Amino acid sequence: MNPLVQQLQQALETFQPAAPLKICVALSGGLDSRVLLEAARQLQRQTQPFQLRALHIHHGLSPQADSWADFCQHLCQQHEIPLTCVKVNPQDQPGASLEARARQARYQVFSEHLQSGELLLQAHHRKDQAETLLLRLLRGAGTQGLSSIPATRPLGQGHLLRPFLTIPRETLEAFAQNHQLQWIEDESNQQDHFDRNYLRLKILPQLTERFPAAEKNLALSAQLASEAQQLHQDLAELDLCKTQTASGDCLDVPAILELPNYRRTNLLRFWLHQRQLPLPGMHLWQPLEQLLIAREDAQPLVEWGETGKRIQARRFQNHLYIEAASHFLPLPKNWQATWNNQPPLTTPCGLINLQLRNTQTGETPSELQVTARQGGEKIRLPNRGTRDVKRLLQERNLPPWQRQQLPFIWHQGQLIAVGDQLLAEGWERF
């Protein structure tokens, strides 16, 4: 068995699905993915059969994009491999550069098209890993960024696997020549105004000439950074257990402040990543630290992120909240609705599982009026008489933004409930 095919087999053996193995090759038509498709095809013939298909992304960025799609189509037809070709528009994606937008569009398609339990194979190799590490170093990345390209990770309903990540590209080139494979050449790979191409064409050759083991050692450093990042995650998980509140939506500030500064930062990075929230820029870590040590009665705010996707960090009493900015928006002042008293009660701020009944008559009214808070409302409570709603909510230690999100529920002009927090005398939830 060819060493490359054997490398692919060993990578696949780390996955032991209950169902038959399903493999999808990310096929650009270039040398690397062409070699990967051929290795997968040979492995399929030489071992027990598995499902094999290919996925081609048509970015539309090159005048040759249509011919590349045609090449992949003819290739897969020749070998009777099912092919899915998906056109994307990178301009529709967020990102600072065209490369970033194209990557975002590509991985969105991968995630959407990957079947349950399926493995998406990509042909990244050792030189790709070395280039990525250099790029991340130049951008000031920490251990997570310096881990560079992961060999595997969850993606959509399946997993992403890169079986050639430790293999020199020269090995892939020799395989292609020995098997007389045909592939396409992307003319943009020779354009050094792209950062990665500049490193590949200008910098890495000079490094390798002076330091012959440069590529190998850069890839090794990426592996060591990945191991260090795993230690950071393990430590953050322990710290999260000590600092996360019972509700799970915030962290306990005194518990955070017991940690050394570097562990606080590590914890917050992990917590944000776990919740798929973007990290703040380096210039915001000091304001976040000030937020943690602010007076208990202060209401500090730190904000970051793209327009329309802003993230806010807030402190209320001894709890730290970090959410999308939309999470903190109040009910619109003029919002009102008629509710049929059937759960859930839907508001612009979310759902409340609530249904109300009059305890004196047993009536469950089918029409209730719901409004946003206007100010000055009062409610009559059992054994407490008529009280000011503002003070009652303050007594419950609700964060200010949550108070502004509670719907006020009225029956025949009488306030009978404030969200799921206050119930008027003579009413109950059931």
Side-chain angles (χ1 to χ4, degrees):
M1 181 181 290
N2 181 277
L4 266 186
V5 178
Q6 189 173 18
Q7 174 76 14
L8 174 59
Q9 183 183 36
Q10 292 173 353
L12 293 175
E13 285 174 352
T14 61
F15 290 88
Q16 298 179 347
L21 195 61
K22 295 184 292 185
I23 291 176
C24 177
V25 174
L27 181 65
S28 68
L31 183 145
D32 303 339
S33 66
R34 178 66 187 91
V35 168
L36 179 56
L37 184 68
E38 178 63 21
R41 193 176 74 87
Q42 290 189 21
L43 182 62
Q44 186 186 43
R45 292 203 316 265
Q46 296 174 24
T47 63
Q48 70 277 13
F50 49 79
Q51 296 181 40
L52 176 63
R53 69 184 185 102
L55 179 59
H56 175 78
I57 309 298
H58 187 308
H59 295 91
L61 298 176
S62 167
Q64 309 302 319
D66 288 339
S67 64
W68 297 345
D70 291 341
F71 171 83
C72 293
Q73 187 69 55
H74 295 150
L75 173 66
C76 290
Q77 286 177 350
Q78 177 186 350
H79 295 296
E80 299 181 339
I81 298 172
L83 172 71
T84 301
C85 182
V86 181
K87 286 189 175 182
V88 298
N89 184 0
Q91 303 297 344
D92 293 338
Q93 300 294 326
S97 67
L98 183 60
E99 294 169 283
R101 293 194 296 271
R103 183 183 186 280
Q104 179 73 16
R106 186 163 59 248
Y107 277 88
Q108 182 175 324
V109 171
F110 291 155
S111 179
E112 292 172 352
H113 282 256
L114 208 55
Q115 300 171 8
S116 178
E118 191 173 31
L119 294 178
L120 178 73
L121 303 188
Q122 287 188 306
H124 295 86
H125 44 74
R126 194 175 73 184
K127 183 170 286 186
D128 292 322
Q129 187 72 296
E131 293 167 3
T132 302
L133 178 67
L134 277 177
L135 276 173
R136 302 279 176 83
L137 279 169
L138 293 170
R139 293 169 181 168
T143 53
Q144 182 172 348
L146 297 182
S147 301
S148 301
I149 306 174
T152 181
R153 66 177 177 89
L155 181 65
Q157 299 184 71
H159 272 79
L160 171 61
L161 178 64
R162 300 179 174 104
F164 296 161
L165 200 54
T166 61
I167 304 297
R169 190 173 195 268
E170 291 76 11
T171 303
L172 275 66
E173 293 171 346
F175 182 97
Q177 296 293 343
N178 292 338
H179 290 82
Q180 298 182 328
L181 301 182
Q182 292 183 321
W183 61 88
I184 60 172
E185 294 288 353
D186 183 349
E187 72 281 359
S188 70
N189 287 336
Q190 301 306 313
Q191 298 172 1
D192 62 13
H193 61 273
F194 292 118
D195 290 344
R196 181 178 291 275
N197 288 354
Y198 181 80
L199 289 177
R200 180 187 302 131
L201 299 172
K202 303 288 188 180
I203 304 302
L204 265 176
Q206 294 186 54
L207 284 175
T208 303
E209 182 179 357
R210 184 74 172 93
F211 307 99
E215 178 187 305
K216 177 182 177 181
N217 288 337
L218 286 169
L220 176 60
S221 292
Q223 179 183 340
L224 295 174
S226 178
E227 294 173 2
Q229 175 60 22
Q230 186 59 56
L231 288 174
H232 291 171
Q233 288 187 211
D234 292 346
L235 179 60
E237 287 182 357
L238 293 174
D239 289 339
L240 185 61
C241 289
K242 298 175 183 177
T243 57
Q244 195 164 30
T245 62
S247 63
D249 64 345
C250 57
L251 301 183
D252 183 76
V253 171
I256 298 175
L257 293 176
E258 290 180 1
L259 300 172
N261 186 270
Y262 67 91
R263 283 175 62 173
R264 296 179 205 166
T265 302
N266 185 54
L267 167 64
L268 294 179
R269 287 179 183 274
F270 176 78
W271 190 46
L272 290 170
H273 181 73
Q274 186 185 61
R275 299 161 67 226
Q276 298 183 325
L277 296 174
L279 295 177
M282 289 298 295
H283 65 289
L284 290 175
W285 285 104
Q286 185 59 36
L288 277 173
E289 183 71 17
Q290 294 300 314
L291 181 146
L292 291 175
I293 61 176
R295 299 190 323 270
E296 188 171 325
D297 61 347
Q299 296 183 24
L301 169 68
V302 179
E303 189 171 13
W304 65 89
E306 299 177 8
T307 303
K309 297 182 180 179
R310 302 289 285 172
I311 304 300
Q312 291 184 354
R314 300 191 182 205
R315 173 178 172 170
F316 176 67
Q317 296 183 348
N318 283 324
H319 290 158
L320 171 67
Y321 299 82
I322 303 181
E323 300 281 359
S326 58
H327 175 84
F328 300 102
L329 291 176
L331 277 176
K333 196 81 169 178
N334 60 352
W335 178 80
Q336 58 182 348
T338 299
W339 177 44
N340 63 4
N341 199 18
Q342 295 296 317
L345 168 57
T346 303
T347 81
C349 294
L351 306 177
I352 299 178
N353 190 25
L354 185 67
Q355 191 172 23
L356 301 174
R357 177 167 58 196
N358 189 305
T359 58
Q360 296 176 344
T361 65
E363 175 193 10
T364 57
S366 59
E367 185 173 306
L368 297 170
Q369 299 305 311
V370 189
T371 68
R373 180 180 181 181
Q374 301 300 311
E377 294 92 346
K378 298 181 182 296
I379 189 170
R380 185 174 181 83
L381 298 182
N383 303 318
R384 298 189 65 182
T386 301
R387 304 292 299 275
D388 182 78
V389 170
K390 178 180 179 180
R391 292 195 176 185
L392 289 171
L393 294 178
Q394 288 174 341
E395 290 175 4
R396 288 176 173 263
N397 287 326
L398 285 179
W401 59 89
Q402 290 184 14
R403 301 174 209 160
Q404 299 295 333
Q405 294 171 343
L406 290 172
F408 283 57
I409 304 171
W410 306 80
H411 179 249
Q412 297 178 355
Q414 177 189 3
L415 181 60
I416 63 172
V418 179
D420 55 0
Q421 295 294 318
L422 300 174
L423 271 178
E425 184 178 54
W427 293 87
E428 66 179 358
R429 297 178 60 177
F430 73 103

